[in-house]
Amino acid sequence: MITVSTLHKMKATGDKIAMLTCYDATFAAAMDAAGVDMLLIGDSLGMAVQGHTSTLPVTLDDMCYHTACVARGVKNAMIVADFPFGVAQQSKEQAYQAACRLMAAGAAMVKAEGGEFMAETTAFLEQRGIPVCAHIGLTPQWVNAFGGYKVQGKTEDAAAQLIKDAKAHDNAGASIVLMECVPADLARQITQSVHCPTIGIGAGKDCDGQVLVMHDMLWVTDSKKARFVKNFMAGKDNIQAAFADYVQSVKNGTFPAQEHWF
Ligand code: KIV
């Protein structure tokens, strides 16, 4: 069973962490059998499963339902559940109550979007036995504020702020820092300057692990994909082989390749 201490040992030994999003028991079992280390019940389910155009309409009930479904399929992987929009950011007490529901549904870690200002919530949850994955960089719940899904940390000031965000969460005891759409050089610098493992999506090869949205890496539809997505179904005749190829590619450092980062 993968635990927070397994992840910290993996950072120390340089073993890469393979994470995928997952929303139901059958795919969870296939990912688990393929050796995926961490399954994220992302609020991306709003788009991937529910057909919305953003993650904003997803509710805490939705997250608990899908977390419980995934938990039924898993034997070894760590289960991480996302806080949906408007839940963790209001107050640390509200975040704690929502986290308890997600943990009761089967999560072993919760993921909250937001930078330095969320570090107090990270500390509050970690002190109460709830491991936290702090999601920084392109935080999709901020899509309206960002004016779209854009690479973050491109200016000197923005890069300095992202370093502060990561360090604030790390000092608050975060179990993981997840960076989305951050220039590869900056993600490497952050990975080297925090104690906790980092996971990247569109953040280069030097993070301690990688995550992709399952529907993207299986190329379920032909819709335009982000630069960081690779089609792991290409040349395979079954989905479990695609998951196994993803795990192997993350672990041997062949994914992501330069064409996937910024
Ligand atoms: O909701 C999600 O799937 C995520 C990943 C893209 C990291 O946050």
Side-chain angles (χ1 to χ4, degrees), residues 186-257:
L186 176 60
R188 185 186 57 245
Q189 205 184 321
I190 290 174
T191 298
Q192 288 168 351
S193 62
V194 294
H195 299 100
C196 68
T198 63
I199 304 281
I201 175 165
K205 67 174 173 46
D206 294 314
C207 298
D208 298 308
Q210 300 291 328
V211 61
L212 283 178
V213 170
M214 176 191 96
H215 292 64
D216 289 344
M217 54 81 74
L218 292 178
W219 221 262
V220 175
T221 68
D222 258 341
S223 61
K224 190 174 175 314
K225 303 287 187 298
R227 179 184 169 96
F228 53 76
V229 177
K230 178 176 172 184
N231 179 1
F232 282 92
M233 255 328 268
K236 318 279 186 332
D237 60 10
N238 71 83
I239 283 173
Q240 197 160 320
F243 292 151
D245 185 20
Y246 171 74
V247 171
Q248 199 187 8
S249 304
V250 169
K251 304 242 175 226
N252 68 20
T254 53
F255 177 78

Side-chain angles (χ1 to χ4, degrees), residues 136-140 142-143 145-155 158-159 162 165 179-184 186-187 190 202 262:
I136 62 171
L138 171 53
T139 43
W142 268 251
V143 59
F146 289 161
Y149 298 101
K150 297 175 180 166
V151 179
Q152 302 296 304
K154 280 168 60 175
T155 65
L162 271 177
D165 291 341
M179 294 180 268
E180 179 164 352
C181 290
V182 169
L186 176 60
I190 290 174
F262 303 101

Side-chain angles (χ1 to χ4, degrees), residues 21 23 40 42-44 82 111 113 135 178 180 201 211 213:
T21 69
Y23 316 99
L40 168 66
D43 62 355
S44 52
D82 239 343
K111 177 166 86 57
E113 295 187 13
H135 183 159
L178 188 150
E180 179 164 352
I201 175 165
V211 61
V213 170

Side-chain angles (χ1 to χ4, degrees), residues 88-161:
Q89 290 81 8
Q90 189 182 343
S91 71
K92 53 190 192 305
E93 290 80 9
Q94 183 170 321
Y96 176 70
Q97 281 181 3
C100 289
R101 285 194 56 200
L102 292 168
M103 303 290 277
M109 184 183 287
V110 294
K111 177 166 86 57
E113 295 187 13
E116 199 179 5
F117 81 100
M118 286 293 290
E120 202 187 330
T121 300
T122 293
F124 190 81
L125 297 180
E126 289 275 357
Q127 282 156 10
R128 285 158 183 77
I130 298 172
V132 175
C133 170
H135 183 159
I136 62 171
L138 171 53
T139 43
Q141 291 172 6
W142 268 251
V143 59
N144 293 301
F146 289 161
Y149 298 101
K150 297 175 180 166
V151 179
Q152 302 296 304
K154 280 168 60 175
T155 65
E156 223 174 277
D157 284 353
Q161 183 57 52

